[in-house]
C-alpha cells in the first residue's frame, strides 16, 4: 500500500510556483488551488471569473490551460522526489473541480530517471511571438515532441508544406473573423495591459509581437486595431514549422489531457532550445476547427496549432503567485478565494 505524504508549506509553494508558470489563454490563469487538510490532496479548480465568454464559450481553452498547469504540478512533484497521483474531473457533483493531485510517497529508481530538463524548462518557457530564423528543427527533436504528446494521451501531427499552408490559411480565416467581431476584440483588449500596469493577469504590450511584413503568418492581433499598440512589421520565417495537437475524443477530460500534452510538448521543445508560440484562433470557430482535422484520420479532434523553431525569446508575462487556502469541511468553491 502506498503511503500518503503530508504536504508541508515549502512543498506546496514549489508545486504552485510551477503550476502557475503554465501558459493560459490571454494569460487569464483560470485556475485556483485548494488543499484538503484531511486527505492532503491538492485540488485544482476552474476560476469562473477569469473566463472568456465570447472567445471560449465552451471553456475548452480554459481546460487546456488548466491541463498545462496540472502537468507542471506533476513535474514539480517528481522534482521533489514525490510520486504524483492525478485524477481528472474526480467528482461529478463538483464540475468546477478539474483535477486532484495526491503525493503518494517516494519515487522509485525508475521514476527518478524522468527527465530533469523538463522541470528546468518550466521557468524558461515563454511564448515568443517574434519572427523565427527558419532554421529547420532536426527530426529527432520533432519526434521527441510527438512522443511527448503521445505519452500524455494526445497526438502531434507535423504537416508537410501543403498541410502547413492549409492550417495557416484556416488560422488566417479565423483571425479575420476575430478582428471583424467587435465584441470579441473588446473582450481580448481587456486582457492587454499597459507597460508598468500593476496587474498580475493579462498580456503586457511588451510581450506582443510585430505583424508579419509579408502578411503570411496569421499571428493573433492582440492590439485589436489600436494603432498606438501596433509594432512595426517584421519579416517572419518563410518556412513555418507547425504541429497540430489533437485527441481522439472530445470530452472535458480530453481537453484536460490535451492541455497536459500541450505543456509536455512545449517543455520538450524548450529543453532543446526551441521557441514556441500558439495559434489557437481556428479552434475558436467550430467550422474552422472541424476543417483543421487531419484528412484521412478518423476521430481527430484538434486543440492547438503550435509554431516552433529557433529565434528570440518572448517578452515576460506576469503571474499571480499560487495561493492554496485549506479546504473547509464540505464547503463549495467561493468566488472570494483567489487563485
Ligand atoms: C489555450 C491557449 C490558447 C492560446 N492562444 C494563443 C494565440 O492564439 N496566440 C498567441 O499569441 N498566444 C496564445 N496563447 C499563449 C498565451 O497568450 C500565453 O501562454 C500567456 O500570455 C502567458 O504567457 P507565456 O506563455 O509567455 O507564459 C494561448 C495559450 C493557451 C493555453
Amino acid at each position: 500500500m502506498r503511503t500518503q505524504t503530508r504536504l508541508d508549506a515549502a512543498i506546496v509553494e514549489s508545486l504552485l510556483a510551477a503550476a502557475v508558470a503554465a501558459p493560459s489563454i490571454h494569460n487569464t490563469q483560470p485556475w485556483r488551488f485548494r488543499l484538503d487538510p484531511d486527505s492532503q490532496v491538492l485540488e485544482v479548480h476552474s476560476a469562473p471569473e477569469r473566463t472568456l465568454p465570447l472567445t471560449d464559450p465552451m471553456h475548452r481553452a480554459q481546460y487546456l490551460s488548466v491541463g498545462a498547469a496540472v502537468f507542471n504540478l506533476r513535474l514539480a512533484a517528481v522534482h521533489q522526489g514525490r510520486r504524483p497521483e492525478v485524477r481528472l474531473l474526480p467528482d461529478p457533483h463538483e464540475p468546477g473541480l478539474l483535477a486532484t493531485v495526491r503525493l503518494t510517497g517516494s519515487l522509485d529508481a525508475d521514476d527518478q530517471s524522468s527527465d530533469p530538463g523538463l522541470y528546468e524548462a518550466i521557468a524558461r518557457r515563454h511564448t515568443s511571438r517574434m519572427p523565427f530564423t527558419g532554421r529547420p528543427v532536426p527530426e529527432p527533436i520533432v519526434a521527441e515532441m510527438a512522443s511527448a504528446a503521445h505519452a500524455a494521451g494526445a497526438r502531434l501531427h507535423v504537416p508537410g508544406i501543403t498541410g502547413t499552408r492549409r492550417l495557416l490559411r484556416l488560422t488566417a480565416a479565423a483571425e479575420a473573423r476575430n478582428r471583424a467581431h467587435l465584441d470579441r476584440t473588446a473582450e481580448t483588449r481587456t486582457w492587454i495591459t499597459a507597460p508598468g500596469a500593476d496587474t498580475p493577469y493579462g498580456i503586457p504590450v511588451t510581450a506582443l509581437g510585430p505583424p508579419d511584413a509579408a502578411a503570411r503568418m496569421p499571428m493573433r492581433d492582440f492590439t485589436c486595431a489600436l494603432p498606438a499598440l501596433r509594432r512595426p512589421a517584421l519579416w517572419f520565417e518563410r518556412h513555418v514549422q507547425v504541429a497540430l495537437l489533437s485527441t481522439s475524443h472530445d470530452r472535458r477530460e480530453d481537453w484536460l489531457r490535451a492541455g497536459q500534452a500541450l505543456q509536455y510538448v512545449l517543455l520538450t521543445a524548450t529543453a532543446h532550445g526551441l521557441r514556441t508560440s500558439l495559434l489557437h484562433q481556428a479552434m475558436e470557430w467550430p467550422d474552422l476547427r472541424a476543417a483543421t482535422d487531419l484528412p484521412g484520420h478518423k476521430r481527430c479532434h484538434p486543440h492547438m496549432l503550435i509554431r516552433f523553431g529557433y529565434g528570440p525569446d518572448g517578452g515576460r508575462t506576469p503571474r499571480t503567485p499560487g495561493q492554496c487556502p485549506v479546504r473547509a469541511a464540505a464547503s463549495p468553491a467561493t468566488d472570494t478565494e483567489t487563485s
Side-chain angles (χ1 to χ4, degrees), residues 21-27 61 64-65 125-127 129 203 220 222 262 278-281 284 304 315 317 319:
S24 61
I25 186 152
H26 295 10
N27 199 23
L64 285 180
S65 309
R125 185 215 57 84
H126 300 286
T127 302
R129 302 183 181 87
I203 308 179
R220 192 192 284 271
F222 289 95
L262 171 67
L278 303 176
L279 295 160
H280 185 258
Q281 300 99 310
E284 295 158 16
M304 186 66 82
T317 49
R319 291 294 189 277

Side-chain angles (χ1 to χ4, degrees), residues 28-32 45-51 62 66 96 98 339:
T28 47
Q29 302 164 54
W31 42 66
R32 285 186 198 164
H45 295 259
S46 60
E49 74 283 11
R50 269 174 273 128
T51 50
Q62 181 185 41
V66 170
L98 302 192
S339 53

Side-chain angles (χ1 to χ4, degrees), residues 17 22 37 74 81 94 183 190 238 262 287 293 303 317:
R74 299 168 83 132
E94 205 177 338
D183 292 338
T190 60
R238 179 179 284 272
L262 171 67
D287 58 328
D293 73 355
H303 298 287
T317 49

Side-chain angles (χ1 to χ4, degrees), residues 188-258:
T188 298
R189 202 178 298 148
T190 60
W191 293 94
I192 300 303
T193 58
D198 189 19
T199 165
Y201 301 106
I203 308 179
V205 286
T206 47
L208 301 181
D212 180 11
R216 266 193 313 256
M217 181 75 79
M219 301 297 284
R220 192 192 284 271
D221 180 8
F222 289 95
T223 67
C224 307
L226 282 183
L229 296 181
R230 253 181 126 77
R231 286 195 182 183
L234 291 176
W235 296 93
F236 276 66
E237 65 274 19
R238 179 179 284 272
H239 297 296
V240 186
Q241 296 171 92
V242 289
L244 185 71
L245 183 77
S246 63
T247 51
S248 49
H249 296 278
D250 202 20
R251 303 156 302 191
R252 291 195 306 144
E253 64 256 42
D254 300 301
W255 306 346
L256 289 169
R257 252 181 229 117

